[in-house]
Amino acid sequence: MTDEAELETLRREIAACRICRDAPAKGPVHRLPHEPRPVAVISSSARILIAGQAPGLRVHESGLPFDDASGDRLRSWLGVDRVSFYDRNRFAIVPMGFCFPGYDGKGADLPPRRECAPFWRQRVMSAMPQIELVLVIGQYAQAWHMAGEERGTMTETVWAWREGLLSGRSPAVLPLPHPSWRNSGWLKRNSWFEQELLPYLQERVKMLLS
Ligand code: SF4
């Protein structure tokens, strides 16, 4: 387990990061168009990590991850209330990009900033060796945490969740769809997710929080 003082240093370094504003990977034209506000919950004791994509505007403004309808759905999937969810001794929450990336031309959130994971992610994961289960949400988290075990589509990757757990990877990884309302249709079409995966997830979470 990493010393809490070392983690606090890491948290401060991340909070001060301005790479995407000052040294964007693809040159000045791809500079982050607003002041970076990294949002990540890094823990010395949580056994569960939620690996998402990147904060949206609301999280950028509040600094609180998953403080929206998606978060409510994620908490119901996990079977936990807000108090447990925001207890950093219980859950670490580290997206693939720590800062709100802005919008594309159609008004949709851009992908996580490409600078973030190469610079920070291995260091963050190394600082949390106690993590036993990573809940991977979205293609960018799946690509990093499942490294070659992800399938061609999100549905195929989540469908194969048991194989991922049996692969012996440490920490274990469990792929999830994004809990956004945009995936309500997907949830209806894939009833196995609520009937088979969620009961397992809730049992595993309960065990890891006990
Ligand atoms: S997205 Fe990551 S790399 Fe970019 S400024 Fe924020 S913390 Fe730094």
Side-chain angles (χ1 to χ4, degrees):
M1 194 172 289
T2 305
D3 181 68
E4 184 60 30
E6 285 176 40
L7 274 195
E8 197 48 46
T9 300
L10 178 58
R11 291 186 191 110
R12 275 201 298 272
E13 286 180 35
I14 291 172
C17 180
R18 296 295 180 269
I19 290 172
C20 297
R21 183 194 68 185
D22 299 339
K26 288 169 74 182
V29 74
H30 294 283
R31 199 182 295 280
L32 193 69
H34 49 262
E35 180 70 9
R37 183 181 191 184
V39 178
V41 179
I42 297 165
S43 171
S44 62
S45 52
R47 296 160 76 189
I48 304 169
L49 165 65
I50 298 168
Q53 299 237 106
L57 178 60
R58 178 168 167 165
V59 174
H60 173 70
E61 289 171 347
S62 71
L64 197 61
F66 289 106
D67 185 26
D68 54 14
S70 294
D72 290 339
R73 177 178 266 167
L74 179 58
R75 284 181 280 278
S76 82
W77 287 355
L78 300 172
V80 300
D81 60 16
R82 287 177 64 90
V83 174
S84 290
F85 187 81
Y86 289 117
D87 179 350
R88 79 176 181 201
N89 292 315
R90 294 169 179 242
F91 290 97
I93 305 173
V94 183
M96 294 307 295
F98 299 158
C99 297
F100 170 52
Y103 295 120
D104 66 15
K106 294 179 182 165
D109 286 9
L110 286 165
R113 291 291 302 204
R114 62 168 59 207
E115 295 86 346
C116 206
F119 196 84
W120 289 112
R121 200 152 194 89
Q122 190 56 58
R123 194 171 160 203
V124 168
M125 291 306 296
S126 297
M128 299 194 298
Q130 82 284 353
I131 294 291
E132 293 180 42
L133 176 65
V134 184
L135 305 176
V136 283
I137 299 174
Q139 59 169 308
Y140 298 96
Q142 288 169 2
W144 202 93
H145 285 279
M146 300 178 77
E149 285 177 19
E150 73 274 28
R151 307 300 169 92
T153 66
M154 184 273 286
T155 301
E156 290 168 346
T157 300
V158 179
W159 171 254
W161 61 279
R162 288 187 185 86
E163 291 170 39
L165 289 172
L166 290 173
S167 71
R169 186 182 287 273
S170 179
V173 292
L174 184 59
L176 299 175
H178 196 281
S180 160
W181 61 268
R182 289 189 185 86
N183 278 333
S184 296
W186 185 93
L187 292 170
K188 274 194 190 134
R189 289 192 302 278
N190 295 278
S191 55
W192 52 267
F193 176 76
E194 292 188 345
Q195 289 165 3
E196 298 172 32
L197 192 154
L198 287 192
Y200 171 84
L201 172 63
Q202 289 174 9
E203 198 52 42
R204 185 90 184 248
V205 167
K206 202 165 150 188
M207 194 258 292
L208 289 170
L209 295 183
S210 64

